[in-house]
Amino acid sequence: MKGKYFFTSESVSEGHPDKLCDQISDAVLDAAFKDDPHARVAIECLAKTGFVVVAGEMTTRTYIDIQKVARDTIKAAGYDKPEYGFDGNTCGVLVSISEQSSDISQGVSEGDGLHKEQGAGDQGLMFGYASNETPELMPLPITLAHKLLLEIKEIRKAGTLPYLCPDAKSQVTIEYEDGVPKRADAIVISTQHLPSAEHATIRNDMIEKVIKPICGKWIDENTKFFVNPTGNFVLGGPVADAGVTGRKIIVDTYGGHGGHGGGAFSGKDPSKVDRSAAYAARYIAKNIVGAGLADKCEVQLAYAIGVSEPVSILTHCFGTNKIPEDKISELVRKHFPLKPADIISQLNLRRPIYRKTATYGHFGRDDPDFTWEKLDKVEALKQDAGPLGQPERTGADVPLDGM
C-alpha cells in the first residue's frame, strides 16, 4: 500500500473469557493426544459466571477427566482466587460430548470414504501470511500487541504488581509509509485490577514497566497512550463477559493483515484443515518471505471434505515478489506438503502441543513445537528460484528496539 496509513491490531490475555475457552478446548485435545495421537477431537467451550460448559465430539481410546482438565486450565490462567470473581476450584463444569459423526470419520480415515486417501475433515479455505517487517516475519502491530500482554503476564505471575488480575487486552496502532512501519501512533492497554488500585498508579506502571520496555523507539512524542480508558476495570473475565471458543481468530493469526477463512483453531485435531492447513499456509508464506522471494506473502489453500488434494492454491505477494508469482506457485507445489495427511506428518501435528498455542498467537512464536514456524525450505527455494529481482528497502531495515 502506498502513502501514509495507520493499521491497528489487538491481543487479549489468557484470562480473557474467550481465550480461557480456547485454552480449555485445546487442553482437552492435548489430554487426548497424550495417550492417543489418532484421537478425533472437536471441542467447544462456553464460560460465564460460576460455570463452564465443555461440549463437542470426540472419538478416542483414552479416558479424559474433563472436569480436572477444565479446572486445571482455569487455575493456570490465573483464576484461582474467589476475589477474581471466577475460581477454577469452585466453578461448575458441565460436559456434553458425543462421538464424531461416522459420515465425517469416513472422509478423514484412509481407505474408508469415497476417496481412498485421507481427506480434509471439512470444506473450507485457509490463509497464511508473512511479512519481513519484523524478525518473526509477522506484522508489527500484532507482534507488539502480543508482547505487551506477555510482559503483563510475567509481571503478574512474578507478583511485582500485586493488584493485577488475569483479564487484559492490548491494542497497537502503527503508522506506515509505503508499506513500511515508521512509528507507534497509539497504544491501548486495559488490565483487570483489584479495587484497591488507583488509576493513576496503574497508568504509570503500564507505561513505564510495560509499554516503554516493549515498544522502544517506535514511541515518539506524539504517541498516544490509553490505559484502562474507562477509568476502572475491576469486573473482568467470565463474570463481566461470556467466553466462547473461537471468537478471537484475528488475535490468533495476523491481527487483520492478510485474509482469514473464518475457521477457528482451538479444540480441533489436525485432521480438521481449519487448523492444519492454516499452519501449512503460514509455513509456506514464511519460507517464501524468508527466502527473499517476496517482502510480503499471503497463501490461500482451499479443500473439499473427504478430498486429499486442495481444490485451489493461491500465492499473492502484494507486488513485492522478486520472481513471477506463477513461479512461486510452482515452487509451493514442489516443496511443501498440501494433502492433509502430508501436512500432519511433515509438521508432526499429532502431539499434545496445542494448549500453549491458544494464547498470544499461533504464529511468530519461537518454540520448537511450533513446527510451522521453521525456515527449513529457504535454501531449496532460493536454489530453485534462480536470480531474484533487486528488493527495495523494507521494514526489516528499521531498528526493532524493544522487540
Side-chain angles (χ1 to χ4, degrees):
M1 188 182 296
K2 294 296 183 182
K4 183 171 79 172
Y5 62 94
F6 298 85
F7 196 95
T8 302
S9 296
E10 71 162 350
S11 182
V12 298
S13 73
E14 71 263 44
H16 186 280
D18 292 331
K19 275 287 145 215
L20 191 64
C21 290
D22 285 344
Q23 291 169 86
I24 294 170
S25 295
D26 272 337
V28 173
L29 172 60
D30 280 357
F33 270 7
K34 181 175 180 291
D35 297 316
D36 181 8
H38 292 280
R40 300 279 172 75
V41 181
I43 295 296
E44 311 282 345
C45 184
L46 164 71
K48 188 49 186 157
T49 309
F51 72 94
V52 297
V53 178
V54 183
E57 299 79 48
M58 179 161 51
T59 300
T60 180
R61 299 188 303 269
T62 191
Y63 169 75
I64 301 168
D65 187 341
I66 303 292
Q67 289 251 352
K68 184 177 188 306
V69 169
R71 293 186 189 284
D72 288 349
T73 304
I74 293 165
K75 290 185 285 186
Y79 291 108
D80 55 0
K81 299 177 182 178
E83 54 262 44
Y84 294 154
F86 195 80
D87 185 356
N89 294 296
T90 58
C91 69
V93 180
L94 309 179
V95 180
S96 179
I97 298 175
S98 62
E99 286 189 337
Q100 182 186 54
S101 160
S102 59
D103 295 339
I104 296 174
S105 178
Q106 72 176 12
V108 295
S109 298
E110 185 175 351
D112 284 356
L114 185 64
H115 303 272
K116 296 310 175 186
E117 287 187 275
Q118 177 181 335
D122 200 353
Q123 69 177 44
L125 49 141
M126 282 56 65
F127 288 89
Y129 181 83
S131 168
N132 64 3
E133 64 190 66
T134 67
E136 296 89 351
L137 301 185
M138 288 284 288
L140 180 62
I142 189 66
T143 299
L144 291 177
H146 286 323
K147 289 188 175 185
L148 288 168
L149 290 183
L150 281 165
E151 187 67 15
I152 291 175
K153 171 188 173 182
E154 293 303 316
I155 290 171
R156 177 174 61 84
K157 293 199 169 183
T160 306
L161 300 177
Y163 61 77
L164 290 176
C165 299
D167 198 355
K169 300 178 75 172
S170 67
Q171 187 170 284
V172 177
T173 300
I174 296 294
E175 179 181 333
Y176 285 79
E177 188 172 327
D178 295 335
V180 178
K182 293 298 182 181
R183 54 179 292 275
D185 186 67
I187 299 172
V188 184
I189 286 180
S190 295
T191 182
Q192 185 189 11
H193 58 87
L194 295 176
S196 57
E198 296 183 356
H199 182 264
T201 300
I202 298 170
R203 175 179 170 81
N204 182 72
D205 285 344
M206 292 300 104
I207 292 172
E208 297 301 324
K209 299 180 186 298
V210 178
I211 295 174
K212 288 183 178 179
I214 294 300
C215 295
K217 290 186 179 179
W218 296 107
I219 298 170
D220 62 22
E221 65 276 8
N222 295 315
T223 301
K224 300 178 285 291
F225 302 137
F226 300 93
V227 177
N228 284 9
T230 70
N232 211 38
F233 188 3
V234 172
L235 200 63
V239 178
D241 186 15
V244 179
T245 298
R247 283 207 300 203
K248 288 294 178 284
I249 57 178
I250 302 303
V251 173
D252 287 338
T253 54
Y254 309 101
H257 274 95
H260 200 291
F265 302 154
S266 290
K268 298 176 181 176
D269 76 78
S271 72
K272 281 75 173 174
V273 285
D274 276 344
R275 179 166 228 156
S276 55
Y279 290 174
R282 163 63 176 174
Y283 180 46
I284 295 166
K286 185 175 183 180
N287 276 270
I288 288 170
V289 172
L293 307 190
D295 297 335
K296 299 179 182 180
C297 181
E298 178 183 82
V299 174
Q300 186 201 54
L301 303 174
Y303 293 84
I305 187 169
V307 180
S308 62
E309 290 283 357
V311 298
S312 71
I313 304 168
L314 173 69
T315 56
H316 176 45
C317 300
F318 307 92
T320 69
N321 46 300
K322 315 305 177 188
I323 62 174
E325 285 187 334
D326 57 354
K327 174 64 174 177
I328 294 176
S329 294
E330 290 177 15
L331 295 176
V332 169
R333 290 184 178 274
K334 177 179 179 181
H335 290 286
F336 292 95
L338 298 172
K339 297 179 181 180
D342 294 340
I343 293 170
I344 291 168
S345 175
Q346 186 158 334
L347 298 182
N348 194 15
L349 297 181
R350 293 195 181 280
R351 295 176 293 144
I353 60 171
Y354 294 104
R355 177 174 155 183
K356 60 184 172 182
T357 69
T359 52
Y360 310 110
H362 293 244
F363 308 119
R365 305 271 291 276
D366 183 16
D367 186 312
D369 285 333
F370 288 50
T371 51
W372 49 93
E373 292 295 314
K374 294 188 298 183
L375 288 169
D376 56 347
K377 302 290 187 180
V378 164
E379 292 308 316
L381 290 172
K382 286 180 178 179
Q383 183 175 341
D384 279 4
L388 304 181
Q390 182 64 37
E392 298 177 358
R393 175 178 168 82
T394 71
D397 302 311
V398 181
L400 289 172
D401 300 70
M403 295 290 288

